[in-house]
Amino acid sequence: MTIEAEVDKLTTGCRILAEQSILDAYGHLSARMPDTPNLMIIPRQMPPALVTPDDFIVMDFDGNVVEGRGTPNQEWPIHACVLKARADVNCVLHSHSMWSRIWGLAKVKLRGVLAGQSYEWNEGLAVYRDAGLIRNLDRGNKVVQVLGQASAMLLRGHGDVVVGRDVSATVLRSITLRDNAEVLHHAVALGDVDYWDKEEAAPWIEAPASGAGGGVQVGPVANRAWEYYEARIDGRLRKLLGQ
């Protein structure tokens, strides 16, 4: 994939996440630079919902801007440290999703209860508990330690970090994380939850359960989901519905 194609995919991803109320004025979506694994593409400091292809910069993992114009997001270390530590990850999202903020403060763990996530997040998402923005490499590396080999984590009262093998996998996983959190919230409100154990949940898995692949949708299923969310932002769905 060329850098232009990756930037276009990131722009679409930001639009989808904004339409889904996962990104707004804050948060950021990044990707590893194609064919240059020690560089990353990330929007400059601006509302992610408003990004265009001209708003991306290329940075190294020490925080130096090597291409493009603009000030980096303050929390660029989240992306740099995860991409440096995880060769299986090519895209990183940090969002302030409401449901992630809620579960990052809850005493009950956010566990997977929907389809593949019931296996992937069976023991519950880890939580980074420190206060303050993640504006330096020490804090970024602590995020990496909390994330481990998982595909998502929560930041206490702050939001989440979601990773994937590519942009579409990360975006779709973030939507699933939001849906899983909301469903579990309502299930907990009804009383005891009938959680899947890992053996029960294993048949849901369509991809390796560890790392950036996880239980996220793959192949034609993922392509169909991406096409649907893309149609929501480019007007095709509204046109088909006669709106």
Side-chain angles (χ1 to χ4, degrees):
M1 180 179 285
T2 65
I3 183 173
E4 292 81 9
E6 192 76 342
V7 165
D8 286 344
K9 198 74 177 280
L10 283 166
T11 302
T12 300
C14 287
R15 292 277 189 281
I16 290 171
L17 291 167
E19 197 269 342
Q20 291 294 305
S21 299
I22 292 170
L23 287 180
D24 47 27
Y26 303 99
H28 13 87
L29 182 69
S30 71
R32 195 183 298 275
M33 182 86 157
D35 303 320
T36 313
N38 61 337
L39 296 177
M40 64 180 181
I41 309 165
I42 190 169
R44 63 180 177 84
Q45 193 172 45
M46 65 175 294
L50 304 180
V51 297
T52 70
D54 293 332
D55 294 314
F56 287 86
I57 57 178
V58 178
M59 298 179 65
D60 65 23
F61 296 158
D62 293 321
N64 301 303
V65 176
V66 300
E67 187 177 330
R69 292 179 296 176
T71 303
N73 286 288
Q74 292 185 76
E75 293 190 297
W76 64 264
I78 295 174
H79 304 263
C81 292
V82 171
L83 289 169
K84 184 176 182 179
R86 294 277 300 273
D88 61 316
V89 169
N90 292 304
C91 181
V92 178
L93 168 70
H94 166 47
S95 91
H96 300 157
S97 174
M98 180 189 74
W99 285 106
S100 291
R101 283 177 157 181
I102 291 170
W103 281 98
L105 292 166
K107 293 294 186 180
V108 179
K109 274 195 170 185
L110 175 54
R111 293 179 56 179
V113 290
L114 300 180
Q117 278 60 47
S118 62
Y119 186 96
E120 182 180 1
W121 300 328
N122 191 263
E123 296 179 1
L125 269 62
V127 180
Y128 173 92
R129 297 183 57 81
D130 291 0
L133 297 178
I134 300 156
R135 294 187 290 194
N136 59 57
L137 293 174
D138 286 342
R139 289 191 171 201
N141 285 323
K142 186 167 182 180
V143 166
V144 170
Q145 292 172 5
V146 175
L147 177 65
Q149 293 302 305
S151 62
M153 61 176 285
L154 303 175
L155 308 173
R156 183 184 179 195
H158 182 172
D160 57 43
V161 175
V162 182
V163 305
R165 67 172 74 84
D166 56 27
V167 173
S168 59
T170 304
V171 169
L172 295 176
R173 175 173 283 125
S174 180
I175 294 170
T176 301
L177 175 62
R178 186 270 318 277
D179 292 347
N180 188 96
E182 186 172 3
V183 168
L184 183 56
H185 168 82
H186 291 299
V188 168
L190 292 173
D192 291 337
V193 178
D194 187 14
Y195 291 107
W196 306 87
D197 65 34
K198 206 149 192 179
E199 184 177 351
E200 285 180 310
W204 283 116
I205 298 299
E206 299 181 64
S210 61
V216 77
Q217 295 171 328
V218 295
V221 176
N223 292 338
R224 186 171 69 182
W226 181 268
E227 183 181 10
Y228 167 73
Y229 289 113
E230 192 172 25
R232 289 181 63 100
I233 64 167
D234 67 13
R236 282 181 292 156
L237 184 59
R238 288 193 300 273
K239 184 177 180 181
L240 287 168
L241 295 175
Q243 298 176 350

